[in-house]
């Protein structure tokens, strides 16, 4: 029996998962690390803590692994959170103890300086970088060049998050196409760094790492890494991929038009396609896929699960107490209460922009709201309206993507928000399409990373293993009557969002 080790390297911590040859997860371990906020817009983490967490999570995993599995681990693959900037010198030493992560928005004047040389719309159409520009790696590097020139002069390479861990595992500095596509100077069509964009940044292209396929074997474990992890030195390490692309693969979205819906604190819908889905108005954000010949294009809302958490904290203290007493999840009790309200929540409409508007909205300054409240309304109405409001926001994303490519059914739901049967049915009714939840669930990114490792190491011949390894656990078809009601309410939701956007701009 051969085993594959996958790391899901997220914002809050790293989860190590061990998969057997059938793609079944047989053991896992998790270790957390903090995010630091030293100044406004600064979101930093310590790469040394990433490595410590990698070691700790691996040790936890191996302690519960099947007998003899340690010696049969053949390959490692990593899914890593995007847009990271890790500067190292020629011998691999960190040049900063803390580094910016994806949500760091410290660049101030750098995007404007860059767009003096390249039109912003041209940049987007070339790169597919649909987030606010300040989040992308090249602008963070421009900031460091101006603000920390002594450190910047020592840079040999700038690595991504998972690329730094790969370096610690193998001693090789490289990245893959999916991660490179978020750097801000990657041309999606040529699948390479673009010289014109690099010239606009004023930086030397040589500080960017070599780009290799996600399945490329970088090497085997160094003696030090093998000792610290408790693994054989013969374990192969593949390049791996960015979290969005690995999650798409693990969710089963790796062929033309296949889509998945990630439902976490934020939420997005992503589609796999042979061409990047680009639109100046809606601004889908695009990453190269870990699967050759495909791209992952997505649109997001910023407050999905956090909207329900906010309602829990502000309105459901009694349910929180009851859940603790009964030993159940408070969200189960909230679901039960929300189910007592009908589709449409008796007229209550919720806009979920509690964390601001996305590219789908009139303005980033958009803020959330409950609308159309009456004295007759109950907490059940507000709970269901919250779930429906998140679904309406994502319906906007789905409609925009449907205008660019045929989106195949069923739509695969992953993440914590997919655990609710009520919410899954609401999505089916609002989207007017079939939805499914699969057994990979919240481990979709890890399964994707394992598949990349398995194909790269020659254990699996293709990526079809993800379809066999992740069985369908729940299916939901749209209810005709509810869908008709939701079309009516969705039209009002869109009118309200337009109004709220106008207010936010005043």
């Amino acid at each position: 029996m051969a085993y594959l080790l996958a790391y899901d390297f997220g914002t809050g911590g790293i989860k190590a998962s061990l998969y057997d040859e059938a793609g079944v997860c047989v053991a896992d371990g998790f270790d957390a690390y903090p995010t630091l906020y030293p100044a406004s817009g600064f979101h930093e983490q310590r790469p040394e803590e990433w490595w410590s967490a990698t070691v700790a999570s691996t040790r936890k995993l191996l302690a519960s692994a099947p007998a003899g599995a340690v010696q049969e681990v053949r390959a490692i693959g990593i899914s890593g959170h995007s847009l990271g900037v890790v500067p190292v010198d020629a011998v691999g030493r960190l040049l900063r103890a803390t580094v910016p992560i994806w949500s760091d928005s410290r660049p101030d004047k750098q995007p404007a300086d860059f767009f003096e040389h390249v039109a912003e719309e041209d940049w987007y159409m070339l790169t597919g970088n649909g987030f606010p520009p300040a989040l992308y790696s090249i602008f963070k590097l421009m900031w460091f060049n101006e603000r920390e020139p002594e450190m910047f002069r020592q840079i040999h390479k700038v690595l991504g998050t998972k690329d730094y861990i790969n370096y610690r595992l193998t001693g090789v500095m490289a990245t893959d196409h999916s991660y490179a596509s978020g750097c801000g100077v990657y041309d999606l069509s040529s699948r390479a760094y673009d010289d014109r964009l690099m010239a606009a940044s004023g930086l030397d292209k040589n500080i960017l790492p070599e780009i290799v396929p996600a399945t490329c074997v970088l090497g085997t474990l160094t003696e030090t890494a093998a000792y610290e992890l408790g693994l054989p030195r013969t374990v192969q390490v593949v390049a791996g991929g960015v979290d969005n692309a690995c999650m798409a693969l693990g969710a089963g979205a790796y062929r033309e038009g296949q889509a998945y819906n990630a439902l976490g604190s934020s939420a997005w819908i992503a589609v796999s396609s042979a061409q990047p889905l680009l639109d100046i108005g809606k601004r889908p954000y695009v990453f190269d896929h870990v699967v050759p010949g495909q791209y992952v294009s997505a649109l997001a809302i910023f407050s999905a699960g956090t909207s329900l958490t906010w309602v829990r904290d502000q309105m459901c203290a009694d349910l929180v107490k009851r859940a603790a007493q009964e030993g159940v999840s408070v969200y189960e009790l909230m679901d039960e209460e929300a189910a007592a309200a009908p589709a449409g929540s008796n007229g209550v409409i919720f806009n979920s922009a509690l964390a601001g508007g996305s590219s789908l909205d009139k303005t980033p300054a958009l803020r959330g709201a409950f609308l159309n409240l009456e004295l007759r309304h109950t907490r059940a109405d507000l709970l269901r309206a919250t779930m429906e409001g998140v679904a309406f926001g994502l319906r906007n994303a789905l409609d925009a993507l449907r205008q660019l490519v045929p989106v195949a059914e069923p739509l695969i739901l992953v993440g914590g928000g997919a655990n609710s049967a009520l919410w899954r049915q609401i999505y089916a009714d609002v989207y007017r399409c079939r939805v499914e939840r699969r057994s990979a669930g919240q481990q979709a990114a890890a399964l994707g990373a394992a598949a990349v490792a398995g194909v790269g190491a020659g254990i699996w011949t293709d990526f079809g293993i993800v379809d066999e390894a992740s069985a369908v656990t729940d299916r939901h078809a749209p209810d005709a009557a509810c869908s008709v009601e939701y079309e009516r309410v969705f039209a009002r939701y869109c009118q309200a969002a337009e109004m709220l956007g106008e207010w936010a701009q005043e």
Side-chain angles (χ1 to χ4, degrees):
M1 176 69 74
Y3 291 92
L4 298 164
L5 180 55
Y7 293 111
D8 182 3
F9 184 17
T11 305
I14 191 165
K15 185 174 185 180
S17 300
L18 190 66
Y19 288 85
D20 65 18
E21 289 179 10
V24 176
C25 182
V26 297
D28 56 44
F30 176 81
D31 202 73
Y33 37 74
T35 299
L36 310 173
Y37 306 97
S40 177
F42 288 41
H43 296 190
E44 299 182 342
Q45 291 182 348
R46 297 184 180 94
E48 285 294 346
E49 292 181 340
W50 298 344
W51 178 248
S52 298
T54 302
V55 172
S57 62
T58 306
R59 291 285 184 171
K60 291 173 185 176
L61 174 149
L62 295 178
S64 60
V70 173
Q71 297 305 315
E72 300 301 326
V73 177
R74 301 292 176 82
I76 290 174
I78 306 181
S79 163
H81 58 85
S82 62
L83 316 186
V85 174
V86 186
V88 296
D89 67 13
V91 294
R93 287 182 298 221
L94 287 167
L95 295 175
R96 288 184 110 252
T98 61
V99 300
I101 62 170
W102 67 272
S103 55
D104 189 286
S105 60
R106 72 185 63 195
D108 38 35
K109 60 183 286 291
Q110 289 73 32
D113 292 344
F114 182 93
F115 294 130
E116 286 182 2
H117 305 283
V118 178
E120 194 275 340
E121 290 189 355
D122 291 345
W123 172 77
Y124 167 73
M125 294 300 292
L126 197 68
T127 65
N129 292 164
F131 294 136
L135 298 179
Y136 287 98
S137 305
I138 195 66
F139 301 108
K140 295 169 186 174
L141 289 174
M142 290 172 66
W143 187 94
F144 279 128
N145 186 38
E146 293 183 26
R147 301 297 184 88
E148 299 182 15
E150 291 186 14
M151 180 279 291
F152 196 89
R153 280 194 292 270
Q154 300 177 62
I155 292 178
H156 173 63
K157 293 294 179 187
V158 178
L159 302 176
T161 54
K162 58 93 181 172
D163 302 321
Y164 177 73
I165 298 301
N166 280 338
Y167 169 71
R168 294 291 293 263
L169 293 172
T170 66
V172 175
M173 296 183 191
T175 192
D176 79 295
H177 288 277
S178 71
Y179 206 98
S181 61
C183 72
V185 293
Y186 180 93
D187 180 354
L188 290 171
S189 60
S190 65
R191 288 187 155 103
Y193 300 127
D194 184 83
D195 289 337
R196 184 169 68 103
L197 297 183
M198 282 303 307
S201 74
L203 305 181
D204 185 347
K205 186 170 71 173
N206 290 324
I207 66 174
L208 301 179
E210 177 189 2
I211 306 172
V212 300
T215 54
C216 176
V217 176
L218 299 178
T220 57
L221 294 178
T222 67
E223 183 176 355
T224 300
Y227 174 77
E228 291 193 54
L229 295 173
L231 292 170
R233 283 203 62 186
T234 53
V235 175
Q236 299 178 83
V237 180
V238 302
V242 75
D243 51 4
N244 192 295
C246 286
M247 186 178 290
L249 174 57
Y254 63 98
R255 300 184 185 93
E256 186 71 20
Q258 290 180 319
Y260 79 97
N261 191 167
L263 302 165
S265 298
S266 60
W268 62 88
I269 297 177
V271 181
S272 179
S273 60
Q275 297 297 324
L277 306 184
L278 301 168
D279 181 82
I280 286 294
K282 297 298 185 182
R283 298 291 176 109
Y285 57 93
V286 184
F287 287 94
D288 214 320
H289 211 312
V290 291
V291 176
Q294 293 285 301
Y295 298 92
V296 182
S297 306
L299 284 166
I301 63 173
F302 299 145
S303 184
T306 48
S307 289
L308 199 62
T309 300
W310 180 84
V311 171
R312 178 201 68 187
D313 294 343
Q314 306 305 320
M315 304 181 194
C316 301
D318 59 322
L319 295 184
V320 172
K321 181 177 180 181
R322 181 182 152 198
Q325 293 170 341
E326 297 179 4
V328 299
S329 167
V330 66
Y331 294 109
E332 292 180 26
L333 302 182
M334 293 166 69
D335 267 15
E336 290 177 7
E337 190 164 326
S345 304
N346 288 312
V348 179
I349 294 174
F350 174 70
N351 186 293
S352 67
L354 301 183
S358 72
S359 62
L360 295 161
D361 297 306
K362 196 176 186 71
T363 171
L366 182 71
R367 293 295 180 264
F370 282 104
L371 301 163
N372 208 35
L373 288 170
E374 299 181 46
L375 291 173
R376 68 186 177 96
H377 287 127
T378 67
R379 183 171 65 182
D381 296 320
L382 272 64
L383 287 171
R384 185 174 187 121
T386 301
M387 301 170 87
E388 292 173 346
V390 170
F392 290 145
L394 288 166
R395 165 67 185 274
N396 270 331
L398 182 56
D399 284 352
L401 293 170
R402 281 169 168 163
Q403 292 173 13
L404 300 173
V405 68
V407 177
E409 293 188 33
L411 185 61
I412 309 303
L413 307 181
V414 301
N419 293 334
S420 163
L422 173 62
W423 219 348
R424 293 195 300 269
Q425 187 60 51
I426 288 172
Y427 287 122
D429 296 339
V430 170
Y431 296 165
R432 307 193 80 165
C433 76
R434 291 177 292 116
V435 302
E436 287 183 355
R437 181 172 68 143
R438 297 183 178 178
S439 56
Q442 291 173 267
Q443 288 195 308
L447 178 58
V452 169
V455 172
I459 295 169
W460 294 330
T461 57
D462 57 44
F463 297 107
I465 187 68
V466 299
D467 299 317
E468 302 170 22
S470 187
V472 177
T473 59
D474 301 280
R475 289 187 173 95
H476 298 263
D479 177 277
C482 288
S483 288
V484 168
E485 173 64 9
Y486 282 137
E487 283 301 295
R488 184 187 68 81
V489 180
F490 179 58
R492 300 192 72 185
Y493 167 90
C494 292
Q495 291 173 344
E498 185 75 11
M499 175 192 70
L500 290 169
E502 291 174 0
W503 284 1
Q505 291 179 310
E506 290 181 357

